Every structure is written in C-alpha cells, then in structure tokens.
Amino acid sequence: MVRRMLRALEPIGFYAFAGCILSCVAVDPFAEAEIRYKFLVEERRTGNLQARAFRVAVRDLAVLDNEGRRWMLGPEDGIWYRRENERWLQADPPRRLVCASCGHIGHRSLLRLHPSVKGQTVREIK
C-alpha cells in the first residue's frame, strides 16, 4: 500500500513541476533530494501522506557520493547524515553536478568543458 501511494505522487503534481527544474544541463543530486524532501514534508503536513509512507519516501531519497558513501536526510529534521563505520553521522554533503543528459559526474568547472554544455552556464542548484 505504501509503495502504491508513493507511485501515485511521482507522475503528477510536484514531480511534473520539478522535472522542469531538474532537467537542466546539470543537477546536484543532494539538492534534488532536498527539493523532493520539502515536497514530502508539505504532503505529510497537509495529511496527504501517512507517516509510514513519508518515512519510506524519505529513505528512498538516499544519495551515494563519489566515494560510495550513503547519505540520507533525517525524516524528522531534514538534516543530512552520512553512513560511516556502521553509524549515521551528521555532515554537510559534498556538492557535485551531474549532467542530466549523459550522467557525467563532475564539479562545475569540469562540466563547463563537457560537450553537452556548448557555451551554456552551468549552475549548482541549492
């Protein structure tokens, strides 16, 4: 049932709107997760999402960094936590940009040289 409720959120409303924002030349996966988290908080606040479904949805926003470390937003506080040595540590995530068309991972300066950019300005989404 929880999965069914989450699937219902994906193709409509927020995700359709956020798709326009997140389909830029490059996106920051941490910023994308933060945007989706804010939407889930609002859905929970208005009663459109049950507590269990909210926790599952927040867990599904996990991000892996370049070093393979898992990052998650805390469901109650929206703060980033990094998994390290079997513990969750509060930390600021590394910001990186990912090419939306090919998945190339790099920093802002590297993506400016990427062939898909072709003179466009690459901005980090915060």
Side-chain angles (χ1 to χ4, degrees), residues 19-74:
C20 296
I21 296 170
L22 298 174
S23 65
C24 300
V25 172
V27 295
D28 172 1
F30 293 99
E32 182 179 358
E34 290 165 355
I35 291 168
R36 290 185 176 173
Y37 174 80
K38 288 176 185 175
F39 170 75
L40 292 169
V41 167
E42 184 61 23
E43 288 295 296
R44 176 73 183 123
R45 188 187 68 75
T46 59
N48 294 331
L49 196 59
Q50 295 176 359
R52 183 166 183 249
F54 173 77
R55 286 191 306 274
V56 169
V58 171
R59 186 183 67 220
D60 289 344
L61 296 177
V63 176
L64 289 178
D65 67 14
N66 290 341
E67 298 175 15
R69 294 179 297 193
R70 185 179 170 115
W71 292 78
M72 290 187 67
L73 286 162

